Amino acid sequence: MLLCAGVPFAALVGGCLSHRVETAPIEIKPIHITMDINLRVQRELDEFFDFEKPAADPSATQPKERP
Amino acid sequence: MNSSRSAFPASVLALLGALFASDLVAQDPPAPRDVRSELKDRMKARYPLLEQARDAGKIGETREGEVKLVKATYATDKADAKDPAKGTVGELVEAENKDRQALYVVLAKELKLTAAEVAKQNGLRNLDKAKPEHWIEVNAQWVQRKTIKPVGQEKK
């Protein structure tokens, strides 16, 4: 008797329950690298690798800041 | 009579001298400029395939001025899908690094630096030239160029 009343009640209540999972926003932090440039070596390397394509647009390489 | 006797040893000496001189010239190492132009020719010929593999995300650059496979499984991929004779991506990487190391030694001698310092400078140069989606190895981890923010510091 109790079982007969309990099963439909549980089904009714269960159907009304909502389940929400909240996720924290993922933040991609940029990696910082110190560019300790030796201009004399860079000039030699640029001269040697003059057949390579020019460097990519620097603005394209900067990670976009999240609002 | 006497003159013909004295002329003989002189001609032999001249011949021996010429032989030794040519031998010494042959043993001289090639001039640095020649090594550089040979390296440049090979690297220039290899460059389009390297760029293709870089764009495909199969290879990336290290901060130590080397090119490296992003995943070991890419080693057996064909370097050029249209021409199997051009070898595998792994062979391409190996050949490029061999030439880069030779170049670093040549430049280090000229600039009175260590090969490691020249290699590091080329690593920075490659980082600067990389496209946003290209892979760079930082602290033994692969990251895309777009996630790296260079902090400038220049010296003469």
Side-chain angles (χ1 to χ4, degrees):
Chain A
M1 176 74 175
L2 196 66
L3 191 70
C4 289
V7 170
F9 178 74
L12 199 70
V13 170
C16 295
L17 287 176
S18 68
H19 194 73
R20 190 188 289 176
V21 178
E22 284 190 17
T23 52
I26 300 163
E27 192 187 350
I28 301 166
K29 287 184 180 173
I31 297 161
H32 293 260
I33 289 180
T34 305
M35 303 280 278
D36 197 3
I37 301 284
N38 184 322
L39 295 176
R40 204 159 57 103
V41 185
Q42 292 293 326
R43 261 197 302 271
E44 282 288 329
L45 288 166
D46 283 341
E47 190 194 315
F48 183 87
F49 290 105
D50 58 3
F51 53 87
E52 290 184 354
K53 284 179 196 168
D57 179 13
S59 62
T61 60
Q62 295 302 313
K64 284 175 187 162
E65 298 289 332
R66 281 171 182 265
Chain B
M1 191 82 174
N2 271 350
S3 64
S4 66
R5 268 188 194 171
S6 62
F8 178 68
S11 62
V12 170
L13 279 174
L15 186 67
L16 283 171
L19 278 171
F20 275 115
S22 65
D23 195 34
L24 282 173
V25 168
Q27 281 178 356
D28 269 353
R33 279 282 156 194
D34 294 339
V35 176
R36 271 177 79 148
S37 50
E38 278 175 24
L39 287 169
K40 190 169 179 170
D41 288 347
R42 282 203 297 269
M43 291 167 104
K44 192 176 177 178
R46 206 180 289 126
Y47 178 70
L49 287 179
L50 278 176
E51 194 65 354
Q52 210 174 296
R54 253 192 296 265
D55 288 347
K58 292 181 180 179
I59 59 169
E61 294 289 337
T62 72
R63 291 178 67 194
E64 290 76 35
E66 283 197 320
V67 67
K68 203 171 171 182
L69 292 162
V70 173
K71 277 185 192 169
T73 50
Y74 294 140
T76 51
D77 287 7
K78 296 280 173 234
D80 187 353
K82 292 172 194 166
D83 187 1
K86 290 196 173 161
T88 62
V89 176
E91 288 164 351
L92 188 74
V93 165
E94 200 181 325
E96 176 69 10
N97 282 334
K98 199 178 163 191
D99 281 347
R100 281 192 191 184
Q101 286 308 321
L103 173 70
Y104 299 153
V105 170
V106 169
L107 290 183
K109 255 186 200 172
E110 283 180 27
L111 300 163
K112 294 182 172 57
L113 293 167
T114 63
E117 176 58 24
V118 179
K120 204 176 158 190
Q121 288 297 319
N122 198 33
L124 291 174
R125 195 180 148 277
N126 288 330
L127 170 70
D128 192 48
K129 282 177 69 75
K131 293 177 190 167
E133 68 278 10
H134 282 177
W135 292 96
I136 309 286
E137 196 186 48
V138 182
N139 301 331
Q141 277 192 327
W142 286 108
V143 290
Q144 283 190 300
R145 172 64 182 87
K146 59 189 167 193
T147 61
I148 300 172
K149 206 170 182 180
V151 181
Q153 222 181 60
E154 292 190 358
K155 64 179 175 180
K156 285 186 183 176

